[in-house]
Amino acid sequence: MERAVWIILNNNFSLTLDSEIKNGKIVDKKFSPGSDLWTSELPQLSFEDNHIQKDYDTFISDIMTLFTEPSVDKVFIDAKLGEESEYINSKEPLVIRKIEEYSVDEIIE
């Protein structure tokens, strides 16, 4: 099973995505806001500062919009390690950086 890890970020926040690559699609998505916390859904964090909360909510909304793009799987899968792609159809541009590729079968052996 092939998997990869990407960082999705804007000027204020970052989110790690770990996903299986299967039949040209990214599936079994796991998201982490940090601290070794992983979830299969985009993390809905709460902040006391309303301005920060609004910025975070916009960040998550922009990521959800990104995943509705027809070519999103290709953008993630075809990225080279360390390569950055910019998604600008959002309120604040998102940067996608592939940071790791690995095979679960190799790790198990």
Side-chain angles (χ1 to χ4, degrees):
M1 172 181 4
E2 299 300 314
R3 295 189 72 90
V5 179
W6 300 266
I7 300 290
I8 304 168
L9 57 129
N10 67 12
N11 287 333
N12 300 311
F13 301 99
S14 69
L15 191 62
T16 304
L17 167 63
D18 181 315
S19 181
E20 179 181 354
I21 300 170
K22 186 175 185 177
N23 300 324
K25 301 272 185 201
I26 54 174
V27 297
D28 186 35
K29 298 177 190 85
K30 304 290 185 213
F31 298 95
S32 176
S35 299
D36 214 17
L37 171 70
W38 293 90
T39 178
S40 58
E41 298 179 7
L42 288 168
Q44 299 299 315
L45 303 179
S46 295
F47 299 93
E48 290 182 16
D49 183 306
N50 287 335
H51 181 70
I52 294 172
Q53 184 68 54
K54 183 178 179 219
D55 286 348
Y56 182 76
D57 293 343
T58 299
F59 175 62
I60 294 300
S61 175
D62 289 345
I63 292 173
M64 288 191 306
T65 301
L66 168 66
F67 281 111
T68 65
E69 292 289 327
S71 62
V72 70
D73 293 316
K74 186 168 178 49
V75 169
F76 278 90
I77 293 168
D78 290 350
K80 306 230 182 313
L81 286 176
E83 179 181 288
E84 290 186 352
S85 299
E86 191 172 71
Y87 175 69
I88 56 174
N89 283 346
S90 56
K91 293 180 178 126
E92 185 173 329
L94 295 174
V95 173
I96 303 157
R97 181 182 307 132
K98 189 181 232 179
I99 60 170
E100 183 178 5
E101 294 175 322
Y102 63 98
S103 172
V104 174
D105 299 332
E106 289 175 13
I107 294 171
I108 293 172
E109 293 174 358

